[in-house]
């Protein structure tokens, strides 16, 4: 893989998905060809705000530090980067739901990070060259390289505390599976999943990835009949506190690298609700059937 020189713009912008996809040639996804940066900037729409939170430099500094720190264990970068990306890109959920922002980050700001983080190891089974899945550049929020990290931090944080998000992002099966579930929009549900993940990890559970996937499936299936919001009620978020945190981006310093940043003080989840769901999910984890890997010829851990 060739690492091409990146000259990112000064400000973030919005790049429509149909235009972004046109730039994703096989050569770009394989890391052989550079992206046409001038054409990408022309295809993008500037964000009509002079807020410092739309500056590119803080994001570039983060991804460059992540690539430096975790070059020997690239998946480990997710747990470090997710909370810091979230605390750097201070947004409402409505703003973060615009895929054009993530498309721009992937193609104009840090395509080198995508190639570094998501290039498959080894060769393809059919002899074709390795290349990054296009959904990492332009895809749904649970697949796109930057969106998945921001939303993982958003869904798994407990108010200003990013510790649960760090734990969740330390397990690829958790963020790859749970982030697809509508049930984790309920904060006690998301935090209870992290509690059970942490307990299984500390206990040295075998086939942890399979157990996490089985747990997420069980939680999702049960959520179609059980109303987690009724079983485990939670407080409404403090939108004013979130607004204050976003506005503080104008004067706050860069996020720390060696300790977790502080998220918005928009309310922590009810402890009693988290405990109720944690006990329920522990039962789900104990009873959920694991994937039968013998049928696909895969070996057990």
């Amino acid at each position: 893989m060739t690492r091409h020189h990146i000259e990112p713009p000064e400000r973030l912008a919005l790049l429509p998905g149909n235009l972004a996809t046109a730039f994703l040639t096989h050569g770009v996804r394989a890391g052989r060809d550079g992206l046409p940066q001038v054409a990408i900037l022309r295809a993008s729409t500037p964000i009509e705000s002079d807020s410092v939170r739309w500056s590119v430099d803080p994001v570039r500094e983060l991804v460059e530090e992540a690539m430096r720190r975790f070059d020997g264990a690239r998946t480990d970068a997710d747990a470090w980067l997710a909370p810091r990306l979230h605390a750097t890109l201070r947004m409402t959920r409505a703003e973060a739901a615009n895929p054009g922002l993530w498309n721009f980050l992937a193609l104009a700001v840090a395509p080198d990070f995508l190639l570094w983080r998501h290039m498959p190891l080894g060769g393809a089974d059919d002899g074709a060259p390795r290349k990054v899945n296009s959904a990492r550049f332009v895809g749904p929020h649970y697949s796109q390289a930057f969106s998945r990290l921001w939303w993982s931090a958003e869904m798994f944080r407990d108010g200003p505390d990013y510790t649960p998000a760090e734990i969740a992002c330390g397990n690829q099966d958790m963020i790859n599976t749970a982030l697809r579930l509508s049930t984790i929009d309920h904060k006690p549900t998301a935090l209870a999943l992290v509690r059970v993940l942490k307990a299984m990890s500390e206990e040295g559970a075998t086939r942890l990835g399979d157990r996490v996937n089985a747990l997420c499936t069980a939680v999702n299936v049960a959520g179609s009949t059980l109303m987690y919001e009724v079983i485990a009620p939670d407080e409404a978020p403090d939108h004013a506190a979130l607004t204050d945190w976003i506005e503080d981006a104008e004067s706050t310093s860069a996020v720390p690298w060696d300790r977790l940043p502080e998220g918005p003080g928009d309310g922590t989840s009810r402890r009693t609700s988290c405990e109720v769901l944690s006990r329920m999910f522990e039962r789900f984890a104990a009873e959920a059937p694991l994937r039968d890997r013998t049928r696909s010829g895969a070996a057990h851990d």
Side-chain angles (χ1 to χ4, degrees):
M1 179 182 73
T2 301
R3 182 166 294 185
H4 299 275
H5 178 64
I6 303 296
E7 293 184 1
E10 294 182 358
R11 308 283 295 172
L12 295 174
L14 306 175
L15 177 60
N18 61 324
L19 300 180
T21 301
F23 297 118
L24 293 178
T25 65
H26 288 292
V28 166
R29 292 167 52 206
R32 297 193 308 271
D33 300 336
L35 282 156
Q37 291 178 301
V38 173
I40 290 171
L41 294 180
R42 287 175 178 169
S44 303
T45 302
I47 295 174
E48 295 182 358
S49 169
D50 59 0
S51 172
V52 70
R53 65 195 179 106
W54 305 121
S55 297
V56 164
D57 283 350
V59 178
R60 275 301 313 180
E61 289 173 1
L62 279 178
V63 298
E64 288 173 7
E65 178 65 13
M67 289 188 288
R68 185 189 70 80
R69 285 188 175 219
F70 300 100
D71 199 37
R74 300 184 181 189
T75 58
D76 291 350
D78 290 356
W80 184 88
L81 186 55
R84 291 166 178 83
L85 181 68
H86 185 275
T88 298
L89 290 176
R90 298 191 176 196
M91 296 184 284
T92 64
R93 289 189 178 187
E95 289 172 325
N98 188 332
L101 175 68
W102 307 114
N103 299 340
F104 187 82
L105 273 167
L107 275 72
V109 176
D112 53 338
F113 173 79
L114 268 80
L115 294 169
W116 174 87
R117 171 63 185 84
H118 291 290
M119 183 67 74
L121 299 176
D125 293 337
D126 58 2
R130 298 180 301 151
K131 55 183 178 291
V132 176
N133 190 312
S134 59
R136 298 301 188 187
F137 288 91
V138 181
H141 75 282
Y142 51 80
S143 295
Q144 204 276 349
F146 292 108
S147 179
R148 69 193 281 268
L149 297 179
W150 193 95
W151 279 103
S152 292
E154 171 66 12
M155 304 310 286
F156 289 109
R157 68 179 174 85
D158 189 13
D161 183 9
Y162 285 114
T163 303
E166 184 179 48
I167 295 170
C169 293
N171 183 282
Q172 292 298 304
D173 293 281
M174 177 61 77
I175 59 175
N176 288 340
T177 303
L179 203 58
R180 299 169 182 257
L181 309 179
S182 61
T183 51
I184 67 163
D185 191 46
H186 178 236
K187 187 66 70 173
T189 296
L191 295 178
L193 279 170
V194 173
R195 285 190 180 193
V196 177
L197 165 64
K198 184 173 184 287
M200 290 192 296
S201 180
E202 289 175 346
E203 293 167 0
T206 59
R207 300 180 61 189
L208 182 60
D210 286 345
R211 293 183 188 280
V212 168
N213 283 318
L215 170 62
C216 289
T217 299
V219 168
N220 193 48
V221 170
S224 65
T225 55
L226 298 175
M227 296 184 67
Y228 294 138
E229 295 86 349
V230 175
I231 296 172
D234 201 24
E235 307 294 342
D238 184 343
H239 296 294
L242 175 62
T243 299
D244 290 344
W245 181 76
I246 292 173
E247 292 177 350
D248 284 346
E250 303 303 317
S251 58
T252 193
S253 56
V255 296
W257 287 355
D258 295 314
R259 59 178 173 82
L260 284 174
E262 188 170 305
D266 54 354
T268 57
S269 189
R270 285 191 190 179
R271 299 277 80 82
T272 53
S273 292
C274 292
E275 290 165 1
V276 166
L277 291 183
S278 294
R279 290 193 293 269
M280 179 184 294
F281 294 170
E282 285 170 358
R283 295 195 299 272
F284 289 175
E287 298 170 0
L290 301 184
R291 173 187 174 190
D292 184 358
R293 291 182 173 271
T294 59
R295 294 183 178 181
S296 61
H300 292 279
D301 293 348

